[in-house]
Amino acid sequence: MPKPLRILFAGTPEFAAQHLKALIDSDCNIVAVYTQPDRPAGRGKQLTPSPVKVIAQEADIPVEQPANFKNPADIERLAHYQADVMIVVAYGLLLPKAVLDTPKHGCINVHASLLPRWRGAAPIHRAIEAGDSETGVTIMQMDEGLDTGAMLNISKVSIEPRETTASLHDKLIELGCPALLQTLKTLAEGEVTATPQPLKGITYAHKIQKSEAMMDWHQPAAVLERRVRAFTPFPIAFTEMGDTRIKIWESELMPMPLEATRLTLPGTVLQVSKAGILVACKEGALNITKVQLPGKKAMSVEAFLNANATLIQPQYLFASAGL
């Protein structure tokens, strides 16, 4: 029977918190948890702990929150835990070599893509936005590069036609937790195998910027429909009509109506009904089916029209990004 590994865990958002919970539920020996410092959140801007910190405190696990690892005292503190391995899941900090080399078996990372595709900060969003048919979770041995380490475990899952970042996020948690536990088992038994990442197929999932969420109606409808799903639940795609910002939570592809012509400007409202708000795009049309006005809850277009019957009419023109 191999000796239980002394584990450090580093992560911040809900995706990481669920992996931490899986480790706790499996009676892994977690000696400390690292997470980002508490941040202001909500209307009152109260300092709020990360989801990982909440889970750790509920389990009475020591929590460390260094701003970074530039202070030698932070490296000394990490070494104090005499960890066999550090598990990193969406921590939000680039770890220097001194950290990577401190645990006996180094640091392993749970990454939400099929590496080397979608290295970087937003792999779930970018996979949906690009129209990928599958993604997964790669567990890798960390090195000094950005998600460049050798792969220890690969698990795959299909991306469904109506998949959002919210739904895919949850599917990847269900995929990643058992994969992580299996990887730790093989590591403890000395049977883990590291496979270098392929040199072909490298793409980067750059951090999502809020400015990307504004709809560019001069794009094909298929591109915009994917973007709506990719940006749900954050940052939420939106369009503007005058001073009114309309967030778009759900949409569907539709053929361009016969009455529309080649001269129809992208962003033109073609039809308004309980079935949706149909908008002309560069190619095809997008039917918006769930919206949100400032200060209001998201609602179906049918409910929206019941309260705002004349706000949007055919031939209105939505603003477009880049113009």
Side-chain angles (χ1 to χ4, degrees), residues 30-246:
I30 304 169
V31 295
V33 164
Y34 280 74
T35 191
Q36 291 268 332
D38 296 0
R39 307 290 189 195
R43 293 185 178 180
K45 298 299 181 183
Q46 297 289 325
L47 283 179
T48 303
S50 72
V52 161
K53 182 176 180 179
V54 171
I55 294 292
Q57 289 181 326
E58 289 175 351
D60 292 324
I61 300 172
V63 176
E64 304 285 350
Q65 296 180 271
N68 51 51
F69 286 96
K70 293 181 180 179
N71 188 333
D74 292 328
I75 306 296
E76 293 175 8
R77 181 66 178 167
L78 188 144
H80 161 78
Y81 288 109
Q82 298 181 326
D84 292 306
V85 66
M86 186 174 193
I87 298 166
V88 182
V89 188
Y91 183 23
L93 285 179
L94 285 175
L95 300 182
K97 189 174 188 299
V99 172
L100 298 176
D101 291 345
T102 296
K104 178 180 178 181
H105 298 292
C107 301
I108 64 174
N109 176 246
V110 180
H111 187 76
S113 82
L114 299 176
L115 292 171
R117 186 162 178 80
W118 303 128
R119 294 173 176 172
I124 302 176
H125 298 77
R126 298 305 184 190
I128 293 176
E129 184 183 24
D132 291 0
S133 61
E134 70 173 4
T135 187
V137 171
T138 304
I139 298 177
M140 64 177 163
Q141 187 77 47
M142 295 180 70
D143 58 20
E144 293 182 80
L146 178 62
D147 299 329
T148 55
M151 301 178 295
L152 309 178
N153 186 295
I154 303 170
S155 303
K156 298 182 180 182
V157 68
S158 296
I159 299 178
E160 302 301 327
R162 299 294 297 166
E163 200 87 69
T164 65
T165 287
S167 63
L168 187 54
H169 169 276
D170 293 347
K171 285 168 66 172
L172 291 175
I173 288 173
E174 293 180 5
L175 197 68
C177 291
L180 174 59
L181 292 171
Q182 178 60 35
T183 302
L184 288 174
K185 181 176 181 293
T186 58
L187 182 65
E189 295 170 350
E191 298 177 356
V192 69
T193 301
T195 304
Q197 291 186 33
L199 298 178
K200 294 183 178 180
I202 298 171
T203 59
Y204 288 91
H206 298 290
K207 183 178 179 180
I208 301 295
Q209 304 295 327
K210 289 185 178 180
S211 59
E212 295 181 68
M214 185 171 182
M215 299 288 271
D216 180 359
W217 300 106
H218 292 79
Q219 295 287 325
V223 171
L224 296 179
E225 189 272 340
R226 293 198 302 268
R227 184 162 294 181
V228 169
R229 291 187 287 110
F231 290 177
T232 301
F234 175 84
I236 301 296
F238 70 89
T239 190
E240 292 178 345
M241 188 179 64
D243 294 331
T244 303
R245 174 170 292 192
I246 302 169

Side-chain angles (χ1 to χ4, degrees), residues 271-286:
Q271 296 175 8
V272 179
S273 70
K274 293 180 179 180
I277 302 166
L278 191 65
V279 186
C281 305
K282 177 184 178 181
E283 296 173 10
L286 192 71

Side-chain angles (χ1 to χ4, degrees), residues 14-29:
E14 184 64 23
F15 186 82
Q18 291 305 312
H19 284 79
L20 174 59
K21 187 175 186 301
L23 295 174
I24 293 170
D25 291 345
S26 298
D27 293 326
C28 290
N29 182 24

